[in-house]
Amino acid sequence: MFHNEISSLIEEWLDFLLTNNKNINNYINEWIEKRQQLIHTELNNDYFNLYTISSSSLVNDNNTVSNDILELPWFNCKENCLFSKEKIIEILNLKKDFTNLDFLINTLIDNNEIVTEEKNLQNLLFEKIINNFIKNKIYEISLNFNKKIKSIENFKNKYLNDFLNFFYFTLQKEDVEILLNDILNNLFNIKENNYFILFSMLIPFLEITLRNLLYYYFCLNYLKDKQNNSLQNILQHINLKYPRFSDLLQSNELITILGEDILFLLKLCFGSQNTLNLRNITLHGFISTKEFTKEYLIFLILLFCNIGKEMIKFINNLQNLNNNYENNNLQNLLKCRKLNKDLPFGYFVGDKLNVTNESLQRIKLNENFYLNFNNLLLNTNLFLENCNHLIKRSLFTIPNHFNDWIYCFKLYNEIFIEYYKNKDNNIGLKKYKLLSLLFPIFEHSIRRIYVTSNLIPIVNNLNDNSLQNNDIDDSTLQNSLQQNKKLITIKKHFTRMLKVERNRSLIIFDTILSNRSNVFYKVNENLFFKELNENYINFIFDLFYWPFGVRIRTLMAHGFIHWEWIPIEYIDRIMLLSIALMLKYNYCCNNSCINDTCCNVCKGFMFCKEFVDVEYKSCFHPKSILLDEIYNSLQNLKLLEEMQLTKEYQVLYSKILNSSEKDKINVKLKEWLQYRKNEIYNEYCNDELDDKVDFEMNSDWMKSIVKFRKVFSVEDISDKEFRTLLLCKRIVKEINSIYLHIYETINTKCKKLNNMTKNQLNNFLQFIEFLPILEQVLNYNLFLMIKTINQQKFINENLISSCDRFISQLQSTLLKNIWQKGFELICGFILTYDEILELNYNLQFIKGKHLFKLLYHDVKSIFI
């Protein structure tokens, strides 16, 4: 929809130029220059006034700029405390203006559109504190910092130890110094304005530091008081109690550790939407690098230092534990909780980030991509010139971000050459810096597609009855008024959805990638999923959404990642996707290219768009992962089947000892398996085979019915279905491990046949006798997983849960080579407890009705 609207507008524009005999090339250049001068602020007037900080905005409250402000303590001091909560309340006379002051200061009020008296009062309260005090002090601090701290050496002499203390629980000392040197080198470099990037690099460490503080606080209390809790559950408790960053700022435990002054200031600067909300507006791309001011960066750096001063008291308490066992235990926990570049990606005690070597392997691109990019990047100047050309001619980008995109491509060019050509792995911080800028501006562009895609149906559904005016007889004039009213409504709604407002829910990535309706913005169906085809949607979900993906953006935003962990392949993918989207919404690609230069630039980058449009295969869609697991299992099943056709195996099978005790129950199990095979045959094979006897549910047949798709729809995956698909993945992995174990066991045992005792040989032959039934039951369960992946809508969760309970126990038993118990588990899966007793089968391992009730596969038909 967005794409079609843009294309039609461009066509009309080109027709106009041609009709009026304008010079297209000159006009395009003129249009691009004018477009570049536009400023797109995403802060509404109310919030923009709250955010803006300058000397003219300072309120004269007898708090003039103090030359010794950098020497004043910030928190928890009775005299001359810069950000004392009590002092702020007193200076601004807040108790007089707000009768319910404690409630308004300490309560987190939801950000929704329901206007309440309490919300309005809290807005007024926070606005008064920020405008009349907080911004004044931030400006004063910045002014004095610029006057007195002239060099990196000056800063380190005054603040280094405090800055290190802030990161005590989060980073290794040498890593803190690497980060600080990069921040300071850019801060004191007057040629570059990288304040937004530096702020985005630092702000995530605030959350992880606060979480780690809580972690050690709970650990310390556990060790001292011997509470009935485990260290492993402490972090889970913290994450459940304080799931969001704004929840952390309400923590009474943090007030105990750091004091209420610090939490009060953090809440006003980084809390909910009716505060400065600096963290969210930067990380979600609501503010551009042009709008971001140096004062907030200096404030954040010094805030870390002053929090570090308060943290040293808590650090000393940890270090002064008398009990050596407690001290050693905490020190070991400290090592595990720190972001350590030498540990595997995402290694955290208590945090399951779901980043595995398998995940990292899945995001690697094919060799053709690297060859194509290598050709583009050989000439750095030409590459950046072409990128500049592409960026300015794409409607995916906006003028405010032109230079930011160029900077991202410049950094990527350096990273690509250093890593792939110079084999230099010491580029972690450069990758972190690139993504700190790229994520916000990418989210902003994606948000524009979301808003535009969902805007048109809203306008079409406008109620025009209110526009009727009986005094107007001229229908042309009336239609014109109606049309103007619509245009005003479009502009207003479009603008509000893109902007930050203090009383409305923000449109962020979670909103954009949700297929649920959005009541705040009257979006009944998210048309973003229809605007971008499934390849683009799958690409975006792979990078930003699926839990088993390499979700660098989520991990970075919450401080859960070390810069050395960032895989180069992830950066390759997001740069490829960005280029593809620029080409998708580039007017040269949607029409005939304007000139030879433009045409050559588009052709040079076109392999990115073709990769997404044609070649893209989903990496982390739950059905895609399940599909790969099924394929691996079918390959191993094929190995097992081929082995059973060998002469050696056939000779072994002929030695099987008949067991009269099992005859009856074997017959019953085979009858059930035949019934299921007939059911499957009737559903799938009645047009292919004349005789059911010829039908075998083997690897070749199952491979023939699997729909090996590259991408899957992401719209119809509910939370319940997602959990079911994860269960399916686990089941298939367990089935695969059983196939492999059987194959390896038979191979190993066959080599030792001549050296076996009689008992060992009999036990092995009993296993061979049991194998046909075991294999058919495993194949049946694997078929159910294939059926699930082929299913478009309904997935039988009860059926999957039944298989999960059975296969999990079967795998655990067979890997220990307890074949007899494995046979009894199969009996419990197929037959009821009473049926087994009626067959006079002697149960040796599993006794009692309860377990059999859990195992029993109570499904009348798998196709209902």
Side-chain angles (χ1 to χ4, degrees), residues 350-364:
D351 280 326
K352 295 181 179 179
L353 304 184
N354 294 326
V355 179
T356 63
N357 288 330
E358 180 187 351
S359 301
L360 297 175
Q361 289 297 320
R362 293 177 78 89
I363 63 172
K364 286 187 176 180

Side-chain angles (χ1 to χ4, degrees), residues 452-513:
T452 313
S453 302
N454 288 291
L455 190 66
I456 294 172
I458 295 173
V459 174
N460 291 339
N461 291 329
L462 287 174
N463 185 355
D464 289 336
N465 292 331
S466 60
L467 301 176
Q468 302 296 330
N469 190 330
N470 295 327
D471 297 331
I472 299 177
D473 297 326
D474 188 339
S475 60
T476 303
L477 177 59
Q478 185 175 355
N479 290 334
S480 176
L481 289 172
Q482 291 177 355
Q483 189 64 28
N484 287 336
K485 181 69 175 178
K486 278 190 176 183
L487 291 173
I488 291 170
T489 306
I490 291 172
K491 183 177 180 181
K492 181 179 178 182
H493 197 73
F494 182 86
T495 303
R496 290 193 75 187
M497 291 175 77
L498 284 173
K499 288 185 180 292
V500 174
E501 295 186 25
R502 293 174 65 197
N503 289 325
R504 280 166 69 91
S505 174
L506 298 179
I507 299 289
I508 58 175
F509 244 123
D510 291 342
T511 317
I512 297 167
L513 301 185

